Structure formats: structure tokens, C-alpha cells
Amino acid sequence: MTTFIQTQPIPAQPNPKKEELSLPRRYGKMLLGTPTNVFITVGCVVILWLVVPPLFRWLFSEAVWAGTPEECRQAAGACWPFIQEKFRFFIYGMYPLDERWRATLAIVILFGITGIAMVPRFWGKGLVLTWLAAIVGVFWLLLGGFGLPPVRTEMIGGLPLTLLLSLTVLPLGFPVGLLLALGRRSEFRLFRWISIAIIEAFRGSPLVATLFIASVMLPFFLPEGMTLPKLMRALAAFLIVAAAYIAEALRGGFQVVPEGQAEAAFSIGMKRWQILFLITLPQVIRHSIPGLVTIVVLFFKDTSLIIVIGMSDFLAAIQLASRDPAWIGFTVEGYVFAAAFYFTFCYVLSLYALRLERRRQNH
Amino acid sequence: MLDVSWRKGDLDEAPSTPPATTAAGLLPPPPPSLLGPALWRTRRGRAVLWQVFGAVVLFVVLLVFTRIMYGNLVRQNLNLGLDFLNREAGIDIAESIIPYAPEDSLGWMILVGAANTLRVAIIACILSTVIGVVVGVMRVSENPLLKLVTGAYVNLARNTPQLLQILFWYTLLLQLPVVRNALSLGDTIFLSQRGLQVPALEFSGDGTGLAAAGAAATALFLILAPLWRTVFGRSPHLVTRLVLALIAFIAVAIAAGAFSLSPPVRGTFNFTGGMTLTPEFVALTVAQSLYAGAFIAELVRGGIEGVHQGQREAAGSLGLSNLQMLRLVVVPQALLAIVPSVTTQYISVIKNSSLAIAIGFPDFFWALSTTINFSGHSIEGVAIMVGGYLLPTLLAATLMNRFNKKLVERGQR
């Protein structure tokens, strides 16, 4: 009977070599490595060939960059003078001419505070206060009063309105959202039920419907003789919907913080509100920031829905401008411009949320 | 989290100062109260107090609002009630899949709107799922060109407002050539200013053909199982049986002349025959499908990438091919992870179809806002609106809970 026993030690083998290719060869392999990949690459090239050159021609080479509507109509490409001509209207809407510097300042402040809030080094109590001050300042600038000539709320439109509704919704809705999130995990059944009902109702119904309801129903619940401007009604609707979404984002954060921390804090004699504000909440917020940024993106896009209740934000201003008889027929250009603007802002924020998410996972 | 209760005697505050000692020694303990510790000193007692307080506040707030609302209603001579739903609508609706005439009631008009919403939502859900799955799988490919193309689509669709996308597609559709110069695909499908003209399946005959087809399909469905077993030695899959029965149904129905295909014929100003999908409908469906498709694609990609690398390697070492690995190992696990989020997407599709109002498509929201403007019954109208939109949400939540429970039972989560 033969036996197979290794008597000689096998010498150590070198590590399997990692395949190292030069950059062009690596890309060559990725693009044309297998028959499937060749097929995919050819398909993509065909799609790009069909889409990119006509798009380029329309956007750039055959487009009109300066001129009159008549010149535009004769050209095959896009009509950019339309955008140049109407640019101020897109930005300011119906805002009074003499007061436009206030709208400009408001835009700068809102963009500035958003930029500052994106830097993790500035996260803290100071930022919250600055943000609140900025919101108060922007409202003051746009609406007037207290030394500035007042502007009717119906006159506020264009970009400031878009920014006002989308960027103030997070800080203003946050306390309500926090209350709802706490209510949802409360040990008191009554509070839990109310919170769940509010969260689910406002997350479940379309924003358009909520806006419509706010503009139709709120007057019914106001005492006689009291009216609320449309802007405030829209803001109220956005606020409560944002609060519902924020509550949902915070819920995930609350689940992450281990219970032992609150117990430990309790055992060293901290009060409940101290535990909440000093121990739990900072961690919860840190965990929910990507979700909160996503909410900002969502609201930045969805502010355009206030068109339904007859207010004109950035997108609505573009729609209005394209009805100008002198410049009729260039709606698509307006929409492309709007898409570029929205895309830039939302894409940057989305990338930022993604980076925060990665950073959190690496922690 | 904060459920830390003081277990000793149910008192949550330890005596803050140690009992003072006097010359005579320790003070005697306080006499036990007949009613037990005061209500606000125990945790449970305070819970009761808080809830009672909350309930009273809620009640007062509701009472105040109801009184204000009642006062406003009286002043405006409005009375609550659903009678207005029986009033004649008097509005023409450009498209509906259930029969409608302006003489019908407002209630019926709302139903027509709901049917339109569902039609858009169902088609958009199917299309967005197809787009999402295909693009999502493409996104995990290693081909950089494919990544570029699909990434461009997904990012563009996700980062622009949906309203803008709907308006964009609608404007583009309206700039198409007139009927006379309509773009056509083999002279059966036409795309023009008036929308998409497709062949229609028309019901003809007296129903005998349909009955015969139904009978044939049922018969095939029933005899297929024993037949399959005698030939192949195992039971056929339910899906196989259903698909074969469906094929039989269609074949017999066409053979018996129960249906006839009516192709559109191009006229000078309009088409005759066929079925018209209006520009509003096409724009809304396309925009919804592309928007939701991009979100589903990201979910699919996340689900696939979430499957542990080791699983793939294990599948590879078992000798499974790439396709087998995807079908047998990756997809089943990814599917479990993404089903809840995809359901949320479907709900969003139903919710977002309310944006149809911007291009004048008669959907549920349009019907209700028109009804409210006509009749002034805003409170009842809003109640119907909220109820209508919350119904699918609650339904989906229930289904998802059941689905999750099933997974837990099977030990997969």
C-alpha cells in the first residue's frame, strides 16, 4: 500500500503577484477586456455620439450669444440673449427696482451662512445663533420695516424666495422636528401617538397638497379679521413638513446612541434635560447630519412647488418670463438654465452629504 | 433610553441631605403616608400627570380651533356635509379611462381623477422599476464609459426639481411637429404635438370569443400540472403555468376575434383610429419614470454593493458564472435590502403625480382642488384629499411590516 506523506518541507511560496497594468492598458482592459465589455463600450459610444454632438451644437456652436429675438428665431441653436435679457427678472422677480440691493444682500447672506454651516470646524452653539440672526436679518431685509421701506410679501419672488423657503426651513423646523422625534420615543402613549400621527400624515401626503391645504385651510382657523400672507402660509406648510422629515432623520440618530450613555449620565446625577442636551443630542445630530443635508436638497428642489398656490419663485419667474410676447418660444432655454442652476447647488450638497456619510462610517 | 427608574421604593429622588443627627441620635423616620408617596414624587405618578396635562392642552387647543372654525363657517354661511359631491360637475375632462361626461357628479369627477392618477402611477412604477434595475446594475459595472453615461443620467435626474423635469418634457412635446408631419415608427406609432398615437386593442364581438379564451386558459392552467409531471417528471413552477395560461388566453382570444387591433391612420389635422396618449399624460409619465428610475437605480446599486464581497468570492470559488452569481447570490440578498425603500419610491410616485396640476393633467389633486374651488367645501374636500393620499401610504406600511415579519420568521433579518 502506498502512502502519500510529505516528508520534505515545501519551501515558502512568494505572494501571488498583483496584476499591475499601466494606466492606458488598465483602461483598455476595462473598456475592451471581454466580449460583453466591447459590446457595452460600443453601445455607450453610439449613445454618446447620438446625444453629445447635437447637444453641443444646440448649446454652444449654433447658439446665439447676443442679439435680438428675430436673430434667435433664425438660428438653429439656443437663444442665450433671452437669459441675459431676463436674468434680473429670474433673480429678483417682482421685487421693487429701488430695493433690489436688499434682495442681493439677502441672497449673499443665505448662501454665505450655508457655506459656513458646511465646514465641520464651525459646528457649535455659535453657528446656531449666527444662523438664527441671519434668518431674522434676511426677513428684515426682504420684508422691510424697522427703518427700511416695507415691501409687500406678494412682491417677494425669484431666487430670494427659493432660498428663503428652502434654507430657513431646516433651522426653523429643527426644534419642532426634535420635539416630534422625542415625542415618538416618549414613554407616554399619548405623546407617542400624536407625534406618529403628525409625522406620518405630513410625510404621507404630497407637498403640493399640503401647500394647497395650508393656503385654503389656514384662514379657517384664524380668528375673525386676522389674515396671514400667502408667504407665511407657505412657510408654515414647509415648516411642518420639514419637521416631520427631520423627526424621521433624527429617529435613526437616536437609535444609534447606546442606552448605557444615558444610564451612566443618570447615575452621576444629571437631570433629564442635561442628559438630552449634553449627552444624547450632540451625538444624534452628528449621526443625522447627512440625512439633514438630504432634506435641504429635497426642499431646495421642492420649493418650486409653491407655483401651485400662485407664488413665483425662481422656476416660476422663468416660466413667467417666457410668456413675454417679445421673447416667446424660448421656454426650453429658460428651463435648461434653471436645471443648470438647481443641479449645481443640489449636486454640491449631495456630494457633501455623501462625504459626511463616508466620514461617519470611517469613524 | 431614559427609562431608568429608581427601583428602591419607586422614589426617584434620593434624600438629598443625610438625616441630621442630633444629640439624641438619628431622627425617627417620617411617618408613612396613608396614600403612599405624593403623586408627583413618583415616576409613574408624574407620567400620569404629564399625560393628563398633555391631553388637557391638546383638548383646549382643539376646542379653540374648532370654535374659531365654526365661527368662520357660520359667518360665511357654509355648512359641512358631503352633499356637494352629488352636484353636477359641468366641467369637461380631456382624458379619462372611465366614462365621464360634464353632466356627471362632482364625486364621479373625483373618481375619474383618482383613476387618472393611478394610471400614471402604475405605468410610471413599472417603467421606473425597469429603468432603475437596468441602470442600477449598469452602475456597478467596471466599464468606465458605462459608469459615465449612467452616472450622468442618475445625477441629473436626482438633482433637478421634478416639477422642472415635467415642465421640460411637456414643453419639448409641444414643440414636436404637427400631425401631418408626425414622427412615426413603422407607420404604427406616431409622435406629434397631439401626443403619442398608438394602436388600440378594441373589444369586438359579443363576448363568446372572450369566454372561450377564458375557458381555454383555465383548462390549460389546470391540466398543465399533471401533464408536465408525466413529461418532465417534476411539477411546473407557478409562474410558468400562469405565463402559459396567459399566452393561451391571448392566442384563443385573437383567433376567436374577441379583440381587434385598430392602428392609427394619419389624417391632415388629426389621427383616426388607435389610442391617443395626450402630451400631458406622456410628459407626466416620462418625467415620473425617469425621476423615480434614477432613485431606484441608486437603491439597486446600494443593494448590490451592500452584499458582502466574500459572498461573491465564495460564489466564484464554487465555479458560478458571473450571471449565475448575480442571479443566485447577489440579487436575492440585494432585493431583501431594497424592497422597503423601493416601496417608499412607489408611494412617492403616487404622491408626486399631484405635480400634474402644473401642466393641466386631470388627476386626483386637480379634481379635488377644482371641486373645492367650485363648491367652496374646502374642509370636506381637504379631508378627502388627505384620506386619498394617506391610503396608499398606510397600505404600503402595513404590507412592509408583514414582509419584514416574514423575513424575521424565516431568520433572514
Side-chain angles (χ1 to χ4, degrees), chain A residues 136-171:
Chain A
V136 172
V138 165
F139 267 101
W140 173 57
L141 274 174
L142 286 177
L143 291 172
F146 303 105
L148 285 174
V151 174
R152 286 212 325 263
T153 53
E154 295 85 61
M155 293 301 204
I156 299 178
L159 193 55
L161 184 61
T162 298
L163 294 178
L164 190 72
L165 287 177
S166 55
L167 296 182
T168 60
V169 135
L170 189 67

Coordinates of all heavy atoms in Angstrom, one line a residue, chain A residues 136-171:
Chain A
V136 N -33.3 86.1 10.8 CA -34.0 87.3 11.2 C -33.6 88.5 10.3 O -34.4 89.2 9.8 CB -33.7 87.6 12.7 CG1 -34.3 89.0 13.0 CG2 -34.3 86.6 13.6
G137 N -32.3 88.6 10.0 CA -31.8 89.7 9.2 C -32.4 89.6 7.8 O -32.8 90.6 7.2
V138 N -32.4 88.4 7.2 CA -32.9 88.2 5.8 C -34.4 88.6 5.8 O -34.8 89.3 4.8 CB -32.7 86.8 5.4 CG1 -33.5 86.5 4.1 CG2 -31.2 86.6 5.1
F139 N -35.2 88.2 6.8 CA -36.6 88.5 6.8 C -36.7 90.0 6.8 O -37.6 90.6 6.2 CB -37.3 87.8 7.9 CG -37.9 86.5 7.6 CD1 -37.3 85.3 7.9 CD2 -39.1 86.5 6.9 CE1 -37.8 84.1 7.6 CE2 -39.6 85.3 6.6 CZ -39.0 84.1 6.9
W140 N -35.9 90.6 7.7 CA -36.0 92.1 7.8 C -35.6 92.8 6.5 O -36.3 93.7 6.1 CB -35.0 92.5 9.0 CG -34.9 94.0 9.1 CD1 -35.9 94.9 9.3 CD2 -33.7 94.8 9.0 NE1 -35.4 96.2 9.4 CE2 -34.1 96.1 9.2 CE3 -32.4 94.4 8.8 CZ2 -33.1 97.1 9.2 CZ3 -31.4 95.5 8.8 CH2 -31.8 96.8 9.0
L141 N -34.5 92.3 5.9 CA -34.1 92.9 4.6 C -35.2 92.8 3.6 O -35.5 93.7 2.9 CB -32.9 92.2 4.1 CG -31.5 92.7 4.7 CD1 -30.4 91.8 4.2 CD2 -31.3 94.1 4.2
L142 N -35.8 91.6 3.5 CA -36.8 91.4 2.4 C -38.1 92.0 2.6 O -38.7 92.6 1.7 CB -37.0 89.9 2.2 CG -35.8 89.1 1.5 CD1 -36.1 87.6 1.4 CD2 -35.6 89.7 0.1
L143 N -38.6 92.0 3.9 CA -39.9 92.5 4.2 C -39.9 94.0 4.5 O -40.9 94.7 4.3 CB -40.5 91.7 5.3 CG -40.9 90.3 5.0 CD1 -41.3 89.5 6.2 CD2 -42.0 90.2 3.9
G144 N -38.8 94.4 5.0 CA -38.7 95.8 5.3 C -39.2 96.1 6.7 O -39.4 95.2 7.5
G145 N -39.5 97.4 7.0 CA -40.0 97.8 8.3 C -38.7 98.1 9.2 O -37.6 97.8 8.7
F146 N -38.9 98.6 10.3 CA -37.8 99.0 11.2 C -36.8 99.8 10.5 O -35.6 99.4 10.5 CB -37.2 97.7 11.9 CG -38.2 96.9 12.6 CD1 -38.7 95.7 12.1 CD2 -38.7 97.3 13.8 CE1 -39.6 94.9 12.8 CE2 -39.6 96.5 14.5 CZ -40.1 95.4 14.0
G147 N -37.2 100.8 9.8 CA -36.2 101.7 9.2 C -36.1 101.5 7.7 O -35.7 102.4 7.0
L148 N -36.4 100.3 7.2 CA -36.4 100.1 5.8 C -37.8 100.2 5.2 O -38.7 99.9 5.9 CB -35.9 98.7 5.5 CG -34.4 98.4 5.6 CD1 -34.1 96.9 5.4 CD2 -33.6 99.2 4.6
P149 N -37.9 100.8 4.0 CA -39.3 100.9 3.4 C -39.9 99.4 3.3 O -39.2 98.5 2.8 CB -39.1 101.5 2.1 CG -37.6 101.6 1.9 CD -36.9 101.3 3.1
P150 N -41.1 99.3 3.8 CA -41.7 97.9 3.7 C -42.0 97.4 2.3 O -42.3 98.3 1.4 CB -43.0 98.0 4.5 CG -43.3 99.5 4.5 CD -42.0 100.2 4.4
V151 N -41.9 96.1 2.1 CA -42.2 95.5 0.8 C -43.3 94.5 1.0 O -43.2 93.7 1.9 CB -41.0 94.8 0.2 CG1 -41.3 94.1 -1.1 CG2 -39.9 95.9 -0.1
R152 N -44.4 94.5 0.2 CA -45.4 93.6 0.4 C -44.9 92.2 0.1 O -44.1 92.0 -0.8 CB -46.6 93.9 -0.6 CG -47.4 95.1 -0.2 CD -48.8 94.9 -0.6 NE -48.9 94.2 -1.9 CZ -49.1 94.8 -3.0 NH1 -49.1 96.1 -3.1 NH2 -49.2 94.2 -4.1
T153 N -45.5 91.2 0.8 CA -44.9 89.8 0.7 C -45.2 89.3 -0.7 O -44.4 88.4 -1.2 CB -45.6 88.9 1.7 OG1 -47.0 89.0 1.6 CG2 -45.1 89.2 3.1
E154 N -46.2 89.8 -1.4 CA -46.5 89.2 -2.7 C -45.4 89.6 -3.7 O -45.3 89.0 -4.8 CB -47.8 89.8 -3.3 CG -49.1 89.3 -2.5 CD -49.4 90.2 -1.3 OE1 -49.6 91.4 -1.5 OE2 -49.3 89.7 -0.2
M155 N -44.7 90.7 -3.4 CA -43.6 91.2 -4.3 C -42.4 90.3 -4.2 O -41.5 90.4 -5.0 CB -43.2 92.6 -3.9 CG -44.3 93.6 -4.2 SD -44.8 93.5 -5.9 CE -45.5 95.1 -6.2
I156 N -42.2 89.5 -3.1 CA -41.0 88.7 -3.0 C -41.1 87.5 -3.9 O -42.1 86.8 -3.9 CB -40.9 88.2 -1.5 CG1 -40.8 89.5 -0.6 CG2 -39.7 87.4 -1.4 CD1 -40.6 89.1 0.8
G157 N -40.1 87.4 -4.8 CA -40.1 86.3 -5.7 C -38.8 86.0 -6.2 O -37.8 86.6 -5.7
G158 N -38.7 85.1 -7.2 CA -37.4 84.8 -7.7 C -36.5 84.0 -6.8 O -36.9 83.3 -5.9
L159 N -35.2 84.3 -6.9 CA -34.2 83.5 -6.1 C -34.3 83.7 -4.6 O -34.2 82.7 -3.9 CB -32.8 83.9 -6.7 CG -31.7 82.9 -6.2 CD1 -32.0 81.5 -6.5 CD2 -30.4 83.4 -6.8
P160 N -34.5 85.0 -4.1 CA -34.6 85.1 -2.7 C -35.7 84.2 -2.1 O -35.5 83.7 -1.0 CB -34.9 86.6 -2.5 CG -34.4 87.2 -3.7 CD -34.6 86.3 -4.8
L161 N -36.8 84.1 -2.8 CA -37.9 83.3 -2.3 C -37.5 81.9 -2.2 O -37.7 81.2 -1.2 CB -39.1 83.5 -3.1 CG -40.4 82.8 -2.7 CD1 -40.8 83.3 -1.3 CD2 -41.5 83.0 -3.6
T162 N -36.9 81.4 -3.3 CA -36.4 80.0 -3.3 C -35.5 79.7 -2.1 O -35.7 78.7 -1.4 CB -35.7 79.7 -4.6 OG1 -36.6 79.8 -5.7 CG2 -35.2 78.3 -4.6
L163 N -34.5 80.6 -1.9 CA -33.5 80.4 -0.9 C -34.2 80.6 0.5 O -33.9 79.8 1.4 CB -32.4 81.4 -1.0 CG -31.5 81.3 -2.3 CD1 -30.5 82.4 -2.3 CD2 -30.9 79.9 -2.3
L164 N -35.1 81.6 0.6 CA -35.7 81.8 1.9 C -36.5 80.6 2.4 O -36.3 80.1 3.5 CB -36.6 83.0 1.8 CG -37.2 83.5 3.0 CD1 -36.1 84.3 3.8 CD2 -38.4 84.5 2.8
L165 N -37.3 80.0 1.4 CA -38.1 78.9 1.8 C -37.3 77.6 2.1 O -37.6 76.8 3.0 CB -39.2 78.6 0.8 CG -40.3 79.7 0.7 CD1 -41.2 79.4 -0.4 CD2 -41.0 79.7 2.0
S166 N -36.2 77.4 1.3 CA -35.5 76.2 1.4 C -34.4 76.2 2.5 O -34.2 75.2 3.2 CB -34.9 75.8 0.1 OG -34.1 76.8 -0.4
L167 N -33.8 77.3 2.7 CA -32.6 77.3 3.6 C -33.1 77.7 5.0 O -32.3 77.4 6.0 CB -31.6 78.3 3.1 CG -30.9 77.9 1.8 CD1 -29.8 78.9 1.4 CD2 -30.4 76.5 1.8
T168 N -34.2 78.3 5.2 CA -34.6 78.6 6.6 C -35.4 77.5 7.2 O -35.7 77.5 8.4 CB -35.5 79.9 6.6 OG1 -36.6 79.7 5.8 CG2 -34.7 81.1 6.2
V169 N -35.9 76.6 6.3 CA -36.8 75.5 6.7 C -36.0 74.6 7.7 O -36.6 74.1 8.7 CB -37.3 74.8 5.5 CG1 -37.2 73.3 5.7 CG2 -38.7 75.2 5.2
L170 N -34.8 74.4 7.5 CA -34.0 73.4 8.4 C -33.9 74.0 9.8 O -34.3 73.3 10.7 CB -32.7 73.0 7.7 CG -32.0 71.9 8.5 CD1 -32.7 70.6 8.3 CD2 -30.6 71.8 8.0
P171 N -33.3 75.2 9.9 CA -33.2 75.7 11.3 C -34.5 75.9 12.0 O -34.6 75.7 13.2 CB -32.3 77.0 11.2 CG -32.4 77.3 9.7 CD -32.6 76.0 9.0

